[in-house]
Each structure stands twice: as structure tokens, then as C-alpha cells.
């Protein structure tokens, strides 16, 4: 042990992960290979909706180098992919089989799988597979009335898979007492995470040991291991999922997809390693999309703009199947819509409807990016209706510090929503001071007077993090004093090795360089929840702290160089709730219909930062994605359900030319009360309020309150707004 205490928590320690990556030692899914491996290629539906009459694979099977071609008949014993996160029942008819059965439900739906000696033969063979599909009228709008989904195979099953309702308080009394009722309809378009690395996997079966190993796992390896074992009728302990380096997660990567199961099943049946890596077009067509929600809001307000009651009807486009996320996004949308505001009476009904688009799942700040946009647009509309300043209307509605912990009156993800700590007014004051708000308003007014179209907007949000129920860590020290931390968490680029090493180093008082962190391996630890919902720092971090303390107790009085190990658990039945504000200054160019983001600030209270540098990195990365969703990124379909965006030529993402330096104002005024470290998550801070802030800023630049009602604000939409103004 060190001679004296050394502080690690709270320090901007450089990432331990980066040396390997920067020196070319990264091992991503596409880098993996095994002797004798086969390559899988998936044949996908070219139509959005239709009866799958047959799949002709005869020519493909005759191609030299092709080992097998499968259709649903070859995998019919494999059950559909189960749902991971939703407590709501009745979703079984909407689950996806690993290959399409009877119907195809979106362009990209897997109808066959080809296995060949090399990837080029697999690609050629896939072109020789001919599905016979009787095309049917596609549904591409979730606001259309529900219909019988597939009458021949699922008689009586509605295209509305669920309706999620959250409610409390007396809405009738609120509207009866209203000084004014403000109504608003807004929508957020369909987009997704688009990680740098597409999905991929390598599966191998060891007949001597009877073990199946899949490399290329991400996000939730323990859960996916259990599901693969169940679907392939194997004991859990005979299936191993191993994570390597991951080129971005963002909610879209690491869920259990049909391709993961197909690769594993093929390794078992064909007795050879099987590799699959999707191309970018596949990824844009077949990996989970997200967002795509429409809101109809009614607010009862008093003369100050205080919201007495809020009623919301929401339509959530689920796409062709309900995948592993279930109705998590709609559930979070409904639960988190009130945000940082008191809202004494509330009801939200979220209609989860299937359409003939790519299935939807989570994407960074799922349900919150959308609901924050809707709520903050409503606050701006209230301010305009009453002739009040938007900042002051927000201040009137903020939950006071002395009301913490604040029971929101609803639950989500199986837990009661109780804001554990927060000083929302203080963060607003700090942001306004940081911006020199009065001077900023004067400067923008002067620029507008000179003919520029410039504006300011902000969006306040509450996040959630630290989803339980439990996490485990095992820490050991060898005779040379090297420490190994084994966790059931996973890395998706968030710096888990560094943050966990910092926590361990602080407790054990050993140099961080002597600590090795193992994650994402089901063969090294028997329990793990993985990495999602900004949970790792809270749940895994507190488990590491507990394990380190247990190890320290074991080592007390022991001789120097005594090897030892200890495990630690952390359990939680409530999440933590960090919060923040996004502020944007934009300039609108009427000639090109472009929106230039001149300044972007994220104020965020994290409770306690393990590594402030990592927190700021998370904020900056999230902000870039948020700006993308606000101005550029959108999956568009034609009337027949054909995707019009399947390359980066059409799916536009922001570059350094479109994003200003993101300013992060990180505060630690409200440590979490539910865990011994006082930490809250940072993964979604940078993206949550971006759309809301930019929309308000565009309104201000145009001089038209309430002009932006849909994201993204693309040039064509801005052109229409400018035309309406003229």
C-alpha cells in the first residue's frame, strides 16, 4: 500500500484504455478471425410489407464455396427473441424471429442466411436468393388508427402493441382553474446512433469442451449469453460471450439481434467458426432506429405561467417488430415528460404502434430527448401566450430544493421515480451568470437590428441513471501487488476501465497503474448487468468500492505480498436523477436555409464526478449527436415504406464544420443520496436538451415564437418556415 492517502476520485486522470487504441492495438469485431471460419451474409426483404410465399435458394446453394443457405424452415425451432427491459405483458405476438416467417414487415427484414468460405462468395450467393413476396399496402404512420396487424397469422392482433399511461393528480380541477389553456403539437423524426463500428460477431463451438463462444459482444453480455443459451437449448455455463473493443454503443449496439443468434446457431450446426460483419447500408436499414414520436399537449396554466395540469397524448412509431427494448422508450417518455417542473396534475397516454419501418429501440437519452423537446417547446409556448420571458416561466415552475427528494408520482423501468437531490434554480442561475445573459440578449438584439437572423434558446431537463437492481465486482491482489478488478459491466467507449480503477485506487491507496480492470466477459464473472441507462459509474462503481473495502479488510494485519481476493455487491431499488440545461446561440441563413450553431453550452449537475475529464468528454460527444438530431439526421420513407436514406450521402451527420466548441459547465451541488459515492451518470447529459435548445434558438432567430414544431430543422423545413414568414 502507499505511504499516505492519494486522491483519485475527482481527478481528470487520462484514460487507461487509450494507449492500446492509439498504438493500433484495438481489436474490434471485424478484426477477429478463426481458422476455417465461414462468413455469413443475410438476405433481406426488398419490400416493406407482404406475405412471404417462398424463398428460392437453389441457385445460391449451387455456387462453389457455399456451405449452407437457410430460410425460416431451417431455424423454425429457434424461438423468437425475447424482450429485455419491459415489464408490460402481451407483447409476444410482436417479437421477431431470427428469419422472417409468413410475412416480411420492413425493408431489411432477414429472410435467409448464406454461409460461405469467404465473404465475397457469401455476397454473391446472397444475390442469388429470390424471395417471392406478395406485396401489401404498407403503414408508415403511427398516428393512423390501429388496424388488424396480420389477419392471416395473427387474427385479432392490433397494430397498437401497447398503450403506456402515467397519471397523478386532479386534471379536471386543474383545467377548471386555468387562467389559460395552451395546446401544442410537436414531433421528433426518426434517427439513430450510427456508431463508427457496425455490428459484427465471431462464433466458435468447441466440441471437446462443449462450449459455444461468441466474440464481438457489447453492452449486455450476461443477458445476451442467457438468451442465446435459452434459444439454442444449452446450459448457460456452456455459452460464453466476450467483448473486445467497441466502436460506439449509444443504445443501438449490443442488443440481441437476429444475426447474433444466427451466427451462434451456425457455429453449432456447421461445426465451424462463423463470422458476420454488416456493411453500412445494412446497418442503416436493419439496426435499431429510434425517436419517431409525435406529441399532442394541453397545459392548464395560471397567470404567472405556472402549470396546474398537463395532459399528453403521444404516438410512438415502433417499426415492424418489438425488439429487446420492448416499450422502454415510450415508458420513459411518459414518466420523464414533466421534467424539472412541479406539474401537480398529469396524465400521459403513449400509443405504441407498429408500422412497416425498421424496428425501433433505444438511442442515447431514449424517450428523454423526445419528451424534453416536447415539454420545453410547451414552456416556450406558455411564455409566448402570456407575454412572459421564457426563462422566468421556467423559474416559476421549477421544483424547489426544499422539496427534495421529490416523488414524481409515477414509475418507470420498474422503479418509482423519486428525484433524489437537486437545486434546479441554482443551476439556472449559474448558467445565466456563465452566459452573462443580459449582455448576451443585448448583443443578439443589436445583431438582429443590423439584419442578422440570430437567436438564443435553452432546454432544461432531468436525466435518470444508475438503474439497478444490483452489480457485482471481484477484486484480487497478487504477491507482487498487482490488482485485478473483474466486473460484469461492459465498455461502450465510456472509460469504464479508468473510472473503476480510480475508485479502486482511492480505496486501496495503490497507484492506478497497478490496477487492471476486466469487463465484458461472461467466463470471468457469473453476474453482470452490462452498460446501459448510464448505470455503470453508479452501480458498478459502488460495487467496486464495496469489493475494495472488503479486500482492504482482509489485508489488514496480513503480511506484505499476501495474495487475496474479495467480492462486493451494490444493490439499489431507485435510480439517481442528474439534471442539466442546454443553451444554444444560432444564426439562420435565409439564402441557404442553413442553421449555424454559433455557441452551445451544457450546464450539468452530476452530483460527484469520478473523472471530470471523462464527464466533459461524454457531454461533448452527446452534444454533437444532439445537434445532429436537431438539424440533420432523419430516416425518411416513401409511401410504400421504402427507405430513402440508406447511405451517408442521404443520412447526414454533423462534422466539425457544423459544430462549435461545446462548453461544459459541470457542477456538483447535488450529490446522489442513494449511493455511497454520491455519483450520478453522465452518458446522456450532452444530448438530452439539444433539440429543445436549438428549436427555441431558431424561433428566436426567425422572430416567430413556436415556429419549430418538428425535428430535425432541415433546410427544406426551414425554407417552408421562411416562406410562411414572408
Amino acid at each position: 500500500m502507499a505511504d499516505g492517502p492519494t486522491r483519485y476520485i475527482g481527478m481528470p486522470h487520462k484514460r487507461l484504455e487509450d494507449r492500446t487504441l492509439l498504438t493500433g492495438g484495438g481489436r474490434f469485431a471485424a478484426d477477429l478471425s478463426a481458422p476455417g471460419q465461414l462468413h455469413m451474409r443475410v438476405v433481406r426483404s426488398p419490400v416493406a410489407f407482404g406475405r412471404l410465399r417462398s424463398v428460392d435458394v437453389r441457385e445460391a446453394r449451387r455456387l462453389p464455396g457455399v456451405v449452407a443457405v437457410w430460410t425460416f424452415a431451417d431455424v423454425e425451432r429457434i424461438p423468437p427473441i425475447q424482450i429485455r427491459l419491459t415489464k408490460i405483458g402481451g407483447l409476444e405476438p410482436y417479437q421477431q424471429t431470427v428469419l422472417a416467417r409468413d410475412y416480411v414487415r420492413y425493408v431489411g427484414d432477414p429472410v435467409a442466411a448464406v454461409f460461405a468460405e469467404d465473404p465475397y462468395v457469401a455476397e454473391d450467393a446472397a444475390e442469388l436468393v429470390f424471395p417471392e413476396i406478395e406485396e401489401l399496402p404498407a403503414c408508415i404512420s403511427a398516428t393512423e388508427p390501429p388496424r388488424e396487424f396480420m389477419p392471416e397469422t395473427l387474427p385479432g392482433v392490433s397494430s397498437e402493441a401497447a398503450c403506456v399511461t402515467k397519471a397523478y393528480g386532479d386534471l379536471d380541477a386543474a383545467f377548471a382553474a386555468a387562467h389559460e389553456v395552451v395546446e401544442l403539437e410537436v414531433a421528433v423524426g426518426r434517427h439513430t446512433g450510427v456508431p463508427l463500428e457496425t455490428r459484427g460477431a465471431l462464433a466458435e463451438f468447441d466440441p471437446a469442451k462443449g462450449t459455444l463462444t461468441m466474440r464481438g459482444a457489447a453492452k449486455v453480455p450476461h443477458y445476451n449469453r442467457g438468451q442465446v443459451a435459452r434459444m439454442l437449448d444449452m446450459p448457460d455455463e456452456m455459452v460464453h460471450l466476450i467483448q473486445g473493443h467497441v466502436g460506439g454503443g449509444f443504445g443501438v449496439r449490443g442488443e440481441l439481434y437476429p444475426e447474433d443468434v444466427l451466427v451462434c446457431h451456425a457455429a453449432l450446426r456447421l461445426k465451424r467458426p462463423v463470422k458476420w460483419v454488416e456493411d453500412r447500408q445494412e446497418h442503416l436499414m436493419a439496426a435499431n432506429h429510434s425517436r419517431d414520436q409525435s406529441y399532442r399537449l394541453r397545459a392548464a396554466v395560471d397567470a404567472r405561467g405556472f402549470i396546474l395540469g398537463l395532459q399528453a397524448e403521444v404516438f410512438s412509431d415502433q417499426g415492424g417488430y418489438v425488439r429487446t427494448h420492448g416499450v422502454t422508450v415510450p415508458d420513459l417518455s411518459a414518466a420523464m415528460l414533466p421534467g424539472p417542473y412541479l406539474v401537480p396534475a398529469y396524465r400521459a397516454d403513449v400509443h405504441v404502434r407498429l408500422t412497416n419501418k425498421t424496428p425501433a429501440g433505444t438511442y442515447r437519452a431514449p424517450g428523454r430527448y423526445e419528451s424534453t423537446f416536447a415539454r420545453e417547446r410547451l414552456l416556450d409556448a406558455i411564455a409566448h401566450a402570456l407575454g412572459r420571458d421564457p426563462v422566468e416561466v421556467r423559474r416559476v415552475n421549477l421544483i424547489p430544493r426544499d422539496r427534495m427528494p421529490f416523488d414524481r408520482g409515477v414509475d418507470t423501468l420498474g422503479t418509482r421515480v423519486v428525484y433524489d437531490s437537486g437545486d434546479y434554480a441554482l443551476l439556472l442561475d449559474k448558467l445565466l451568470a456563465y452566459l452573462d445573459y443580459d449582455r448576451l440578449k443585448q448583443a443578439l438584439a443589436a445583431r438582429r437590428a443590423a439584419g442578422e437572423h440570430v437567436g438564443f434558446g435553452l432546454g432544461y431537463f432531468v436525466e435518470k441513471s444508475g438503474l439497478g437492481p444490483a452489480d457485482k465486482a471481484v477484486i484480487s491482489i497478487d504477491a507482487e501487488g498487482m490488482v485485478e478488478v473483474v466486473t460484469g459491466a461492459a465498455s461502450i467507449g465510456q472509460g469504464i476501465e479508468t473510472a473503476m480503477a480510480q475508485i479502486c485506487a482511492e480505496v486501496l491507496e495503490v497507484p492506478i497503474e497497478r490496477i487492471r480492470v476486466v469487463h465484458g466477459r461472461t467466463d470471468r464473472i457469473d453476474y453482470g448487468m452490462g452498460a446501459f441507462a448510464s448505470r455503470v459509474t453508479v452501480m458498478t462503481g459502488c460495487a467496486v468500492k464495496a469489493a475494495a473495502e472488503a479486500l482492504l479488510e482482509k489485508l489488514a494485519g496480513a503480511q506484505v505480498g499476501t495474495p487475496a481476493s474479495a467480492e462486493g455487491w451494490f444493490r439499489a431499488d431507485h435510480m439517481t436523477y442528474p439534471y442539466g440545461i442546454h443553451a444554444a446561440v444560432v444564426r439562420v441563413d435565409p439564402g441557404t436555409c442553413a442553421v449555424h450553431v454559433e455557441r452551445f453550452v451544457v450546464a450539468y449537475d452530476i452530483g460527484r464526478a469520478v473523472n471530470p475529464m471523462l464527464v466533459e468528454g461524454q457531454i461533448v460527444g452527446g452534444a454533437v449527436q444532439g445537434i445532429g438530431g436537431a438539424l440533420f439526421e432523419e430516416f425518411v420513407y416513401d409511401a410504400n415504406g421504402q427507405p430513402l436514406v440508406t447511405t451517408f450521402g442521404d443520412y447526414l451527420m454533423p462534422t466539425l464544420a457544423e459544430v462549435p466548441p461545446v462548453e461544459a459547465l459541470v457542477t456538483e451541488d447535488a450529490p446522489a443520496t442513494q449511493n455511497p459515492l454520491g455519483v450520478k451518470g453522465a452518458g446522456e447529459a450532452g444530448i438530452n436538451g439539444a433539440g429543445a435548445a436549438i428549436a427555441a434558438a431558431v424561433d428566436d432567430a426567425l422572430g416567430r415564437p413556436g415556429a419549430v414544431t418538428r425535428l430535425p430543422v432541415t433546410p427544406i423545413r426551414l425554407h417552408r418556415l421562411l416562406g410562411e414568414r414572408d
Side-chain angles (χ1 to χ4, degrees), residues 579-706:
Y579 54 95
I581 314 169
H582 286 204
V585 174
V586 308
R587 175 173 56 85
V588 172
D589 184 339
T592 62
C593 296
V595 177
H596 301 278
V597 182
E598 294 186 345
R599 192 176 182 192
F600 200 87
V601 181
V602 180
Y604 186 65
D605 196 289
I606 194 170
R608 187 185 185 194
V610 173
N611 186 318
M613 183 172 63
L614 295 187
V615 172
E616 291 191 16
Q618 288 287 310
I619 288 173
V620 172
V624 175
Q625 290 178 308
I627 292 169
L631 297 176
F632 304 104
E633 301 178 43
E634 186 173 27
F635 288 107
V636 181
Y637 290 77
D638 71 11
N640 297 316
Q642 287 291 330
L644 303 179
V645 179
T646 59
T647 72
F648 284 156
D650 300 300
Y651 191 84
L652 305 180
M653 294 189 292
T655 70
L656 287 176
E658 288 79 39
V659 179
V662 176
E663 303 167 55
L665 175 62
V666 179
T667 64
E668 298 178 298
D669 294 316
T673 60
Q674 309 262 355
N675 66 73
L677 288 170
V679 295
K680 300 180 181 181
E684 286 140 324
I687 192 172
N688 190 313
I694 288 175
V698 171
D699 277 7
D700 195 31
L702 297 178
R704 288 186 53 200

Side-chain angles (χ1 to χ4, degrees), residues 43 45 93 110 113 184 192 207 251 294 402 518-519 543 552 558 596 609 654 682:
V43 181
S45 171
L184 183 67
T192 190
S294 301
D402 61 12
V518 177
H519 51 80
L552 201 61
H596 301 278

Side-chain angles (χ1 to χ4, degrees), residues 371-610:
S371 61
T372 292
F373 171 72
R375 177 189 64 251
E376 296 299 293
R377 290 277 69 199
L378 179 65
L379 268 290
D380 289 332
I382 292 169
H384 176 61
L386 299 178
R388 295 176 61 85
D389 182 86
V391 171
E392 294 312 309
V393 168
R394 286 171 171 82
R395 194 186 298 279
V396 162
N397 282 281
L398 290 174
I399 300 167
R401 180 173 184 167
D402 61 12
R403 294 287 298 273
M404 296 294 174
F406 184 80
D407 190 330
R408 184 77 273 179
V410 298
D411 59 19
T412 188
L413 304 185
T415 69
R416 188 76 172 176
V417 178
V418 179
Y419 298 167
D420 51 333
S421 62
D423 192 333
Y424 300 155
L426 177 61
L427 185 65
L428 180 59
D429 290 340
K430 286 187 173 183
L431 173 65
L432 296 179
Y434 178 85
L435 293 169
D436 197 350
Y437 182 57
D438 290 337
R439 181 174 293 181
L440 173 62
K441 287 198 298 182
Q442 292 171 5
L444 292 176
R447 291 176 65 185
R448 283 193 289 268
E452 286 190 89
H453 300 274
V454 291
F456 170 81
L458 60 79
Y460 212 132
F461 66 92
V462 173
E463 253 303 339
K464 60 109 194 87
S465 68
L467 180 65
D471 248 13
K472 175 185 178 181
V474 178
I475 302 180
S476 59
I477 187 168
D478 65 19
E480 283 73 41
M482 299 298 295
V483 176
E484 182 180 71
V485 179
V486 183
T487 79
S491 173
I492 45 178
Q494 76 275 48
I496 176 178
E497 294 178 26
T498 307
M500 297 305 106
Q502 286 182 250
I503 294 169
C504 180
E506 177 114 342
V507 175
L508 295 182
E509 298 181 20
V510 301
I512 195 171
E513 293 79 12
R514 299 183 70 84
I515 298 173
R516 175 175 178 262
V517 178
V518 177
H519 51 80
R521 293 188 64 115
T522 63
D523 59 340
R524 290 297 311 275
I525 192 168
D526 60 352
Y527 180 88
M529 289 285 290
F532 60 96
S534 294
R535 67 180 306 279
V536 170
T537 301
V538 176
M539 297 301 300
T540 312
C542 290
V544 167
K545 181 178 187 293
E549 290 170 342
L551 180 60
L552 201 61
E553 187 175 341
K554 276 190 176 183
L555 292 173
Q559 293 183 351
V560 175
T562 301
S565 67
E567 70 175 43
W569 286 84
F570 180 69
R571 295 176 172 85
D573 57 6
H574 284 91
M575 292 185 282
T576 64
Y577 292 89
Y579 54 95
I581 314 169
H582 286 204
V585 174
V586 308
R587 175 173 56 85
V588 172
D589 184 339
T592 62
C593 296
V595 177
H596 301 278
V597 182
E598 294 186 345
R599 192 176 182 192
F600 200 87
V601 181
V602 180
Y604 186 65
D605 196 289
I606 194 170
R608 187 185 185 194
V610 173

Side-chain angles (χ1 to χ4, degrees), residues 116-199:
E117 298 287 351
D118 70 54
Y120 305 105
V121 172
E123 182 89 26
D124 291 343
E127 296 291 331
L128 298 176
V129 174
F130 301 104
E132 181 188 350
I133 301 170
E134 179 189 344
E135 190 168 0
L136 299 170
C139 174
I140 60 167
S141 172
T143 59
E144 292 181 5
R147 68 197 190 287
E148 196 172 15
F149 188 47
M150 295 191 304
E152 289 186 4
T153 56
L154 295 173
V157 174
S158 170
S159 61
E160 182 163 295
C163 183
V164 179
T165 297
K166 311 285 183 185
Y168 61 80
D170 190 339
L171 265 182
D172 290 339
F175 279 93
H179 171 75
E180 189 156 346
V181 174
V182 179
E183 299 187 5
L184 183 67
E185 292 191 18
V186 296
V188 177
R190 170 174 284 244
H191 54 281
T192 190
V194 195
L196 185 63
E197 181 193 21
T198 59
R199 297 175 297 154

Side-chain angles (χ1 to χ4, degrees), residues 267-352:
L268 282 174
R269 279 182 57 177
L270 304 178
K271 300 296 188 291
R272 290 176 64 177
V274 179
K275 180 177 179 177
W276 170 74
V277 177
E278 69 179 349
D279 61 33
R280 184 59 68 180
Q281 185 179 42
E282 275 188 298
H283 180 84
L284 293 173
M285 281 199 312
N288 284 346
H289 290 179
S290 197
R291 313 302 190 210
D292 210 351
Q293 290 187 342
S294 301
Y295 288 73
R296 297 172 182 169
L297 305 176
R298 295 179 68 240
V301 301
D302 68 13
R304 302 173 302 150
F306 179 77
I307 299 173
L308 304 169
L310 172 59
Q311 185 173 21
E313 186 176 28
V314 186
F315 301 90
S316 190
D317 191 325
Q318 182 61 41
Y321 296 91
V322 177
R323 282 182 172 165
T324 52
H325 291 117
V327 295
T328 294
V329 177
D331 189 66
L332 285 164
S333 298
M336 303 297 286
L337 178 59
Y341 308 120
L342 280 162
V343 191
Y346 174 66
R347 180 184 176 96
D349 298 286
V350 186
H351 303 277
V352 185

